[in-house]
Amino acid sequence: MGTAIVSLLMILIAMGDSPATAHEREQVQVLFQHPLPNVEGKKIVAVSVTYPPGGKSLAHRHAASAFIYAYVLSGTIRSQVDDNPAKVYHAGEGFYEIPGSHHRVSENASDKESASLLAVFIVNAEDHPLTIPDDAPAPQ
C-alpha cells in the first residue's frame, strides 16, 4: 500500500499538483446516467461533488451542450458563473448553468466544514468529458 501511495504522489507531482493541492480538490462521483427516452440524442447525468474544508475546483467549462442544475446538499458552496458576482449557496439552495457557461469559481465557502452538491446535467449523449478545466486542451 505504501508503494501505491508513493506512486500516486509522484503522478500528482508530475501533473503539476502538490500533494497538498490534490487534497484540497473536489471529489466527483457519477451517481446516475441514462439516455432520455423522449429527447433523442440527449442523456441525463447526476454527479455528486464533495469539497473538503477549503477545497475547490479549478476554473472550468462543461461540455458545450450541457445544461446543469446544481443543488447544495451540505455546507456552503461559493460559485461564480461567467461575469456574474460570486454567490454563496447554503444547503437546500441551488443554481443553474446554461450551455457555454464559464464556471470561474466553485469552492467550499468554509475552511472548517465539508460541503457537497448534486449536479444534474442534461447533455448530448456523445459529449464527454463533462468538465474541462481551463488549462486543459479543448475536446476534439
Side-chain angles (χ1 to χ4, degrees), residues 41-55:
K42 296 283 187 180
K43 66 181 175 181
I44 185 170
V45 181
V47 301
S48 67
V49 182
T50 303
Y51 294 95

Side-chain angles (χ1 to χ4, degrees), residues 5-18:
I5 292 171
V6 170
S7 297
L8 176 60
L9 291 175
M10 290 175 66
I11 290 168
L12 291 171
I13 291 167
M15 292 173 51
D17 282 344
S18 70

Side-chain angles (χ1 to χ4, degrees), residues 26-32 45-51 71 73 115-121:
E26 80 282 35
Q27 293 183 357
V28 179
Q29 179 182 8
V30 175
L31 302 173
F32 175 82
V45 181
V47 301
S48 67
V49 182
T50 303
Y51 294 95
Y71 180 82
L73 298 169
S116 64
L117 63 82
L118 172 69
V120 179
F121 292 69

Side-chain angles (χ1 to χ4, degrees), residues 39-101:
V39 185
E40 187 175 332
K42 296 283 187 180
K43 66 181 175 181
I44 185 170
V45 181
V47 301
S48 67
V49 182
T50 303
Y51 294 95
K56 61 182 87 178
S57 300
L58 296 173
H60 60 274
R61 296 181 187 275
H62 293 287
S65 68
F67 176 85
I68 302 152
Y69 178 72
Y71 180 82
V72 180
L73 298 169
S74 66
T76 54
I77 304 283
R78 181 178 297 107
S79 178
Q80 180 188 15
V81 177
D82 293 326
D83 292 327
N84 297 313
K87 182 175 177 188
V88 174
Y89 296 90
H90 301 270
E93 297 180 324
F95 59 93
Y96 64 90
E97 296 179 47
I98 62 172
S101 295

